[in-house]
Amino acid sequence: MFNIVIFGAPGSGKGTQSERLIDEYGLYHISTGEVLRDHIARGTELGKIADSFISQGQLIPDELMVNILEHELDSNPDTEKGVIFDGFPRTIPQAKALSKMLEGRNSKLHAVVGLEVEDSELMERLVKRGKDSGRSDDNPETITRRLEVYHNQTSPLRDFYMEEGTYHAIPGTGNVDDIFKTIKGSLDKVIELETAESSAL
Ligand code: AMP
């Protein structure tokens, strides 16, 4: 089981790079944003709660979010092959909960891929995406809020994972294929190390 977090601000390219990671490593993809948007589209109770936060550019409370993630992990047998966590964790308590969840499943988080992009470029990308995404949170006012929330609540995770030794800083601008090559270079090294460690046991 190889578990990765794809980390970065809104608009940093997490979704695009996740697609390539799925193809390359055959991992199961959990995007918490997509899970929530699916609930909103189906009009579930959870969807109604989620919508009230998402449309304001705010994070869903940690306890609720952790329960949602745990449900996703347990209801999809394919997660046993390994998971790309996209959009989770977004706070330190969520990161701690993720470590616990993986530990409880005899696994761990192997790598955090941090896509690093300047705010001005993020804003430009998100406004462009908003023109055809139809997302209620891709308008300039909500985008500004989401970037603020990212800097206040989510970006401290960079240091958290740096200290843990799992963070891989990836410049997230330029050609999408080149960005992926850099990610793959980092992850292949992690896999090599893991394989060497487990065969030494
Ligand atoms: P995303 O598609 O990852 O940009 O997520 C869209 C929105 O869903 C975010 O702005 C949050 O309101 C909510 N959301 C997604 N993932 C999380 C999370 N891990 N914790 C709290 N809120 C989340």
Side-chain angles (χ1 to χ4, degrees), residues 32 53 66 73 75 98 118 136 139 142-143 152 166 193 196 198:
T32 43
F53 290 97
V66 169
L73 267 184
S75 56
L98 179 62
E118 294 283 328
S136 65
N139 57 75
T142 315
I143 292 168
N152 293 334
T166 45
L193 263 175
S198 55

Side-chain angles (χ1 to χ4, degrees), residues 30-87:
I30 299 179
S31 153
T32 43
E34 271 170 27
V35 171
L36 297 169
R37 283 188 289 279
D38 179 57
H39 273 279
I40 294 172
R42 288 187 286 121
T44 67
E45 274 313 303
L46 174 58
K48 283 175 202 153
I49 298 169
D51 195 27
S52 66
F53 290 97
I54 292 179
S55 58
Q56 299 300 312
Q58 299 287 356
L59 297 184
I60 275 73
D62 285 335
E63 204 185 323
L64 179 57
M65 208 56 237
V66 169
N67 286 339
I68 296 169
L69 186 82
E70 193 144 36
H71 174 78
E72 286 300 306
L73 267 184
D74 290 338
S75 56
N76 296 295
D78 284 352
T79 55
E80 283 171 19
K81 286 187 280 179
V83 179
I84 304 171
F85 296 94
D86 169 358

